[in-house]
Amino acid sequence: MRITALAGGIGGSRFLRGLLRAIPDAEVTVVGNTADDITLHGLHVSPDLDTVMYTLGDGVEESQGWGRRGDTSAVADELAAYGAEPRWFTLGDRDIATHLLRTRMLTAGYPLSAVTEALCDRWRPGVRLLPMTDDRVETHVVVAGDGDGQERAIHFQEWWVRLHAKVPARRIVLVGIEQAKPAPGVLDAVAAADVIVLPPSNPVVSIGPILSVPGVRDAVTVAGAPVVGLSPIIGGAPVRGMADAALTAIGVPTSAAGVAELFADLLDGWLVDSTDADAVPAVEAAGIRCRAAPLLMTDVDAAAAMARAALDLAEEVRAR
Ligand code: GDP
Ligand code: CA
């Protein structure tokens, strides 16, 4: 079975790990979000691609869900001693090797997709990991200025990591998205899939940018395969992270049904957590087959059960 997933970082990769446990022989293509990418100390960092790669390659720091297991911060400490900015984003020592290699290959002219493939040669994540685009796209967040009334746009990472999404986002802007082209293989993976999955990733800043790459949303909408998604929102709140702040910025209610509505044009099926079973009728009224199931990824087995539930739902809508 060919499964194509559109994934962000932690929520996406934990789900994918469950998917591989549930269906070990599935051919999985992951279209990863690259709008979180940022250049730090001259290094090209791709947080979501790396989270998928490290998690599926068994190299992730499980306690935080991102970064390299057991990493240290000698380089970051030295940079801080120089007073080098930004200080709010710490790169681990082991992690830096990944960014050095990525930056070196990009500088030599390789596209991000080729670089990602090369990095995955080491990690063997068990999926084909494609960046959504080889072009530069960055999520910026427009916030009120400091006292002068002037709005300013800051990189998503600064809003998320430094400001903890506490400063209200007036708008979320995907810089570069209009010129971006899907990376090689992305549209084919969507068209050739037997099932297309939206894991419980951030709908605004993870799945949103992937679908916003020109051509991707249309490809998903016209694909022959059922499109099923899992809610990242349980009981009216994100399971972790600050997706509520991002949803509020685009005027979408922080609820399992609210997120389903955001993707209503492409979803055939939607899973909500058992505690949100009362949302099922509203989602079904929007023409999306909806089921309630436990959606907390407490361990890999729980994520595997979620993957099975998603594929069961895909079969159900396919038979319709
Ligand atoms: P990020 O790029 O690291 O922020 O990761 P993603 O975009 O892939 O996923 C973030 C989303 O995952 C957040 O909105 C969380 O609510 C959601 N999430 C994290 N853990 C779980 C879980 O166990 N169950 C569900 N349903 N959602 C989760
Ligand atoms: Ca991310």
Side-chain angles (χ1 to χ4, degrees):
M1 175 162 24
R2 281 166 303 192
I3 302 172
T4 297
L6 315 184
I10 300 179
S13 55
R14 288 198 167 151
F15 173 79
L16 290 164
R17 191 164 57 177
L19 178 67
L20 292 178
R21 159 99 37 118
I23 325 223
D25 57 354
E27 255 179 70
V28 181
T29 300
V30 178
V31 180
N33 172 42
T34 59
D36 286 8
D37 287 21
I38 186 167
T39 304
L40 293 165
H41 310 296
L43 302 179
H44 185 112
V45 181
S46 297
D48 285 359
L49 296 180
D50 287 348
T51 297
V52 172
M53 190 171 77
Y54 294 157
T55 303
L56 300 185
D58 194 26
V60 80
E61 175 55 51
E62 198 65 46
S63 64
Q64 55 191 13
W66 51 271
R68 290 279 288 107
R69 181 180 299 139
D71 216 344
T72 48
S73 61
V75 174
D77 294 346
E78 287 294 309
L79 286 166
Y82 282 111
E85 297 291 343
R87 309 273 283 269
W88 44 265
F89 202 105
T90 303
L91 298 175
D93 296 327
R94 293 178 176 179
D95 196 29
I96 284 173
T98 305
H99 312 316
L100 281 170
L101 204 48
R102 174 183 293 117
T103 306
R104 169 176 153 187
M105 289 187 72
L106 289 171
T107 306
Y110 291 95
L112 184 61
S113 48
V115 176
T116 304
E117 192 180 341
L119 295 173
C120 285
D121 269 350
R122 172 187 175 192
W123 291 104
R124 311 230 158 251
V127 300
R128 188 161 63 116
L129 177 60
L130 306 175
M132 65 188 200
T133 179
D134 280 334
D135 300 312
R136 186 167 164 186
V137 175
E138 282 184 7
T139 302
H140 286 206
V141 178
V142 178
V143 297
D146 303 322
D148 59 3
Q150 291 282 81
E151 289 188 330
R152 61 196 183 102
I154 55 176
H155 192 289
F156 166 75
Q157 296 291 358
E158 185 172 358
W159 183 66
W160 194 256
V161 178
R162 183 169 80 86
L163 302 175
H164 304 288
K166 292 284 192 296
V167 177
R170 293 186 171 178
R171 289 187 303 287
I172 291 179
V173 185
L174 302 175
V175 179
I177 198 77
E178 292 89 357
Q179 293 80 37
K181 292 173 294 301
V186 167
L187 295 182
D188 289 343
V190 169
D194 298 310
V195 178
I196 298 171
V197 185
L198 308 191
S201 282
N202 188 310
V204 185
V205 294
S206 293
I207 308 260
I210 301 171
L211 289 172
S212 299
V213 175
V216 172
R217 195 169 190 127
D218 287 347
V220 172
T221 310
V222 304
V227 181
V228 293
L230 300 93
S231 178
I233 304 297
I234 296 183
V239 177
R240 54 181 292 163
M242 302 154 276
D244 45 337
L247 284 164
T248 303
I250 62 163
V252 172
T254 302
S255 67
V259 178
E261 202 176 313
L262 182 64
F263 300 134
D265 55 322
L266 46 92
L267 280 179
D268 298 301
W270 185 243
L271 286 179
V272 301
D273 185 69
S274 310
T275 59
D276 291 320
D278 57 351
V280 170
V283 177
E284 296 226 308
I288 303 162
R289 184 70 64 98
C290 187
R291 296 283 176 266
L295 293 191
L296 264 186
M297 297 186 281
T298 42
D299 56 23
V300 183
D301 286 335
M306 284 164 57
R308 275 187 220 100
L311 294 177
D312 286 349
L313 182 57
E315 289 318 310
E316 200 181 320
V317 296
R318 198 200 307 280
R320 179 159 66 172

